[in-house]
């Protein structure tokens, strides 16, 4: 059934792919984004991909007055809340910025939803809420813990949402993403990180496109088959479809779901798949372990399969091919080389 979905942070990496999926499923997304980590060019790309230009309001979600105007005008049925800061390292350097932005946006949004009688919410959480665990696969009942301020905001917001839902009438899904990678198969939208990427896939794709010299593989002495770290990479198109499934299956209360593939790939597996997609070897060196990294992290995806009827289907090869198509078509992202290299 068609509905109007407010998408906070809808011009960002995961948000933009979800907006495309919403439009293709017949929903009407209304995007709010302050463009702090995205470009207005994404809106044009969504419009040309889908033939529909979604309503867009540039605002900070923490600005309650601006949010009220959107709810008053747009007849919102439900909300997907992506907006927030997400860089682990930056959160350690500037913890207050993370608490203010991530909590501030969520408090403002929840207050407005409450005032407007909108009680259906899908929240972008993260596998980081599991802290560093050595027990895999990780299911939703695994112990929780934050190991940096970014993770603390995700965990804190999950707790906030559980408390709110316990008052009755709310239907909330907490989606704990594992490692989103890839891009829309058109190559028109994709991940566009500001500055030096922290994550494996965007970093190695910037090496492949000639923006960086070589990948540093953080540790080859883990207790894993090839000694490098293992993660659960999920194609961003699968992730986008996971949001639709979550919206369709919202139930009274607050429920957490892992979104991953349920399988792990090592850094060297990703390098090999990415090199095949790119068509040449991607240079790398083995470097020391990165502080705080777990050896092996992958999801138990049973709950999403049984309760949301959702399973990720795209392979690591597709993730690399699609990520590379985006990266090679936009070597410097949406901003262009002058802006990007002066960052
Ligand atoms: P992103 O930075 O690409 O997208 C976030 C969007 O929100 C950006 O367009 C940014 O401009 C906007 N934004 C930030 N603060 C805002 C505010 N106060 N008001 C309005 N707009 C604001 O990030 P992403 O990778 O698409 O991640 C989306 C969500 O998913 C985030 O909450 C992130 O923590 C979570 N998440 C991401 C990953 C990942 O690896 N990408 C993993 C787990 C969880
Ligand atoms: N990694 C790496 N070099 C990099 C970035 C990441 O070797 O430049 C490794 C990292 O140690 C981990 C895996 O790649 O084993 C995934 O890291 P990422 O930061 O993408 O995700 P996270 O560790 O947050 O799940």
């Amino acid at each position: 059934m068609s509905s109007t979905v407010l998408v906070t942070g809808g011009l960002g990496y995961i948000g933009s792919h979800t907006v495309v999926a919403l439009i293709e499923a017949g929903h009407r997304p209304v995007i709010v984004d302050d463009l702090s980590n995205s470009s207005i060019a994404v809106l044009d790309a969504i419009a040309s991909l889908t033939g529909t230009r979604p309503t867009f309001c540039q605002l900070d979600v923490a600005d309650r007055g601006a949010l009220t105007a959107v709810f008053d005008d747009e007849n919102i049925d439900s909300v997907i809340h992506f907006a927030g800061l997400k860089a682990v390292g930056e959160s350690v350097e500037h913890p207050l910025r993370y608490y203010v932005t991530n909590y501030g946006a969520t408090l403002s949004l929840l207050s407005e939803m409450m005032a407007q009688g909108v009680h259906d919410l899908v929240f972008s959480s993260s596998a980081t809420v599991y802290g560093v665990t050595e027990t895999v696969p990780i299911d939703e009942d695994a112990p929780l813990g934050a190991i940096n301020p970014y993770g603390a905001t995700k965990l804190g917001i999950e707790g906030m949402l559980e408390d709110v839902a316990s008052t009755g009438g709310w239907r909330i899904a907490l989606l704990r993403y594992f490692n989103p990678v890839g891009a829309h198969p058109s190559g028109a939208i994709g991940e566009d990180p500001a500055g030096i990427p922290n994550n494996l896939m965007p970093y190695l794709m910037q090496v492949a496109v000639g923006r960086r010299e070589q990948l540093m593989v953080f540790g080859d002495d883990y207790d894993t088959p090839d000694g490098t770290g293992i993660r659960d990479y999920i194609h961003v198109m699968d992730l986008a479809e996971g949001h639709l499934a979550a919206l369709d299956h919202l139930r009274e209360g607050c429920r957490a779901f892992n979104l991953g593939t349920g399988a792990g790939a090592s850094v060297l597996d990703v390098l090999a798949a990415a090199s095949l997609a790119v068509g040449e070897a991607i240079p790398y060196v083995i470097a020391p372990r990165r502080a705080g990294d777990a050896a092996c992290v992958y999801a138990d995806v049973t709950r999403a399969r049984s309760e949301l009827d959702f399973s990720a289907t795209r392979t690591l090869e597709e993730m690399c091919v699609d990520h590379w198509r985006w990266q090679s078509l936009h070597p410097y992202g949406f901003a262009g080389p002058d802006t990007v290299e002066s960052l």
Side-chain angles (χ1 to χ4, degrees):
M1 210 178 69
S2 171
S3 65
T4 299
V5 185
L6 180 73
V7 185
T8 77
L11 295 186
Y13 174 42
I14 305 168
S16 58
H17 290 80
T18 303
V19 164
V20 169
L22 284 166
I23 293 170
E24 284 171 354
H27 296 290
R28 188 177 82 90
V30 171
I31 300 172
V32 296
D33 198 303
D34 64 2
L35 301 181
S36 56
N37 197 37
S38 54
S39 161
I40 193 67
V42 178
L43 191 63
D44 299 329
I46 292 170
S48 60
L49 268 179
T50 61
T52 303
R53 194 174 183 85
T55 304
F56 168 64
C57 304
Q58 183 175 350
L59 59 82
D60 180 343
V61 180
D63 179 348
R64 177 83 190 271
L67 213 48
T68 302
V70 176
F71 275 87
D72 285 348
D73 290 349
E74 300 295 341
N75 204 13
I76 305 294
D77 295 306
S78 59
V79 178
I80 306 181
H81 180 35
F82 293 103
L85 301 177
K86 62 164 185 176
V88 169
E90 186 190 47
S91 82
V92 175
E93 272 175 59
H94 302 287
L96 195 54
R97 190 182 295 170
Y98 272 66
Y99 288 110
V100 168
T101 304
N102 291 357
Y103 283 137
T106 307
L107 289 168
S108 162
L109 178 66
L110 286 175
S111 306
E112 190 56 30
M113 288 177 71
M114 177 80 103
Q116 299 274 349
V118 176
H119 295 131
D120 284 0
L121 174 65
V122 174
F123 172 63
S124 293
S125 190
S126 166
T128 192
V129 299
Y130 296 116
V132 171
T133 170
E134 298 297 336
T135 310
V136 286
I138 303 174
D139 70 26
E140 289 83 351
D141 296 324
L144 302 179
I147 53 169
N148 51 61
Y150 166 68
T153 65
K154 290 295 178 195
L155 202 53
I157 292 169
E158 284 201 0
M160 196 188 288
L161 295 176
E162 270 158 24
D163 289 343
V164 168
S166 73
T167 62
W170 289 77
R171 305 194 307 166
I172 300 178
L174 312 173
L175 301 186
R176 296 176 179 160
Y177 313 153
F178 278 66
N179 292 64
V181 296
H184 190 274
S186 65
I189 52 174
E191 187 172 14
D192 188 10
I196 302 170
N198 303 300
N199 298 114
L200 176 63
M201 185 69 86
Y203 197 103
L204 69 79
M205 288 293 170
Q206 291 195 5
V207 174
V209 86
R211 283 175 61 183
R212 308 199 183 273
E213 197 185 333
Q214 58 190 5
L215 176 76
M216 285 188 294
V217 173
F218 296 143
D220 68 347
D221 56 352
Y222 285 104
D223 185 16
T224 61
D226 67 20
T228 66
I230 290 179
R231 295 291 182 277
D232 186 342
Y233 299 93
I234 176 169
H235 197 300
V236 68
M237 297 297 296
D238 278 324
L239 200 57
E241 288 162 14
H243 289 76
L244 261 65
L247 264 187
D248 283 349
H249 292 84
L250 281 175
R251 290 187 318 195
E252 171 92 22
C254 182
R255 186 89 166 140
F257 298 94
N258 288 340
L259 292 187
T261 61
S266 73
V267 177
L268 295 183
D269 291 336
V270 175
L271 254 171
S275 295
L276 263 183
V278 168
E280 57 188 5
I282 297 172
Y284 70 94
V285 286
I286 304 296
R289 292 181 178 193
R290 185 172 64 180
D293 268 359
C296 181
V297 179
Y298 58 91
D300 182 323
V301 294
T302 311
R303 186 183 288 180
R305 196 184 304 132
S306 61
E307 296 184 23
L308 303 181
D309 196 20
F310 168 76
S311 300
T313 59
R314 293 165 178 88
T315 62
L316 181 61
E317 286 65 33
E318 287 171 275
M319 300 177 208
C320 293
V321 166
D322 290 338
H323 207 119
W324 175 238
R325 188 177 299 106
W326 149 256
Q327 187 74 76
S328 52
L329 286 171
H330 305 83
Y332 291 88
F334 283 110
D338 297 341
T339 318
V340 166
E341 296 310 347
S342 64
L343 288 171

